[in-house]
């Protein structure tokens, strides 16, 4: 075994970039209104109050900007606890992908109109649900919003059959 470190791709350490990106995504999801988003000192204080752990505003800023590269497991656990994600979210791509999808759903459901639409759709026939999905996708297209697959891989149908347009 050699003592030299493995070569890294240009642009820095991938794990550090992922940590920085995922932390910033959690902050943005937790505080969707940028105007009301606390600064790092205030956020660190909130994290300490909620979790009982210790983290400084400077340390949080360093993590969020990629300046700090040697995060401890204790700090990851504190952040995970505060944001309600498993600690693996910061390190494992599969876990991060799953949690990101759950966070997107939770974020969408903050809007009372989205919640009402979802609640009123409960109990409709598969054909009616497909028609609603088609209408929503068309409205998103008209407003030039992404219509990406936000449902199941089978086209969003819960019965496992492919949706038809």
């Amino acid at each position: 075994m050699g003592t030299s470190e493995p070569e890294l791709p240009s642009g820095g350490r991938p794990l550090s970039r992922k940590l920085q990106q995922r932390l910033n995504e959690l902050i943005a999801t937790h505080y969707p209104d940028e105007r009301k988003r606390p600064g790092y000192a205030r956020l660190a204080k909130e994290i300490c109050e909620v979790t009982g752990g210790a983290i400084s505003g400077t340390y949080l800023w360093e993590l969020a900007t990629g300046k700090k590269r040697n995060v401890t497991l204790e700090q990851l656990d504190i952040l995970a606890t505060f944001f309600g994600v498993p600690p693996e979210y910061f390190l494992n791509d599969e876990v991060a992908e799953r949690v990101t999808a759950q966070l997107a759903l939770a974020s969408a459901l903050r809007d009372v109109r989205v919640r009402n639409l979802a609640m009123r759709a409960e109990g409709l026939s598969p054909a009616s649900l497909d028609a609603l999905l088609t209408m929503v996708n068309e409205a998103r297209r008209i407003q030039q919003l992404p219509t990406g697959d936000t449902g199941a891989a089978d086209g969003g149908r819960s019965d496992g059959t492919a949706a038809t347009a």
Side-chain angles (χ1 to χ4, degrees), residues 71-86:
V71 63
T72 67
L73 292 176
E74 180 181 359
Q75 297 300 329
L76 282 181
D77 192 47
I78 290 168
L79 291 170
T81 299
F82 178 76
F83 288 110
V85 299

Side-chain angles (χ1 to χ4, degrees), residues 23-89:
L23 177 58
N24 285 315
E25 287 172 359
L26 286 173
I27 293 169
T29 300
H30 203 72
Y31 302 98
D33 186 347
E34 282 189 57
R35 296 168 295 168
K36 295 181 180 178
R37 195 171 294 162
Y40 293 108
R42 177 69 190 132
L43 181 55
K45 184 178 178 186
E46 284 182 37
I47 291 170
C48 292
E49 289 171 357
V50 169
T51 67
I55 193 165
S56 73
T58 302
Y59 187 82
L60 197 55
W61 173 82
E62 290 173 336
L63 290 176
T65 58
K67 306 274 188 232
K68 179 66 80 179
R69 295 182 183 197
N70 58 345
V71 63
T72 67
L73 292 176
E74 180 181 359
Q75 297 300 329
L76 282 181
D77 192 47
I78 290 168
L79 291 170
T81 299
F82 178 76
F83 288 110
V85 299
E88 297 83 10
Y89 168 81

Side-chain angles (χ1 to χ4, degrees), residues 100-139:
T100 298
Q102 293 168 347
L103 291 172
L105 175 60
S107 182
L109 290 174
R110 285 182 182 157
D111 185 328
V112 69
R113 293 166 297 202
V114 172
R115 277 195 316 271
N116 285 340
L117 182 61
M119 296 299 290
R120 290 178 184 193
E122 174 66 27
L124 294 176
S125 71
S128 293
L129 291 172
D130 287 345
L132 283 174
L133 184 58
T134 299
M135 286 188 272
V136 169
N137 283 338
E138 183 62 16

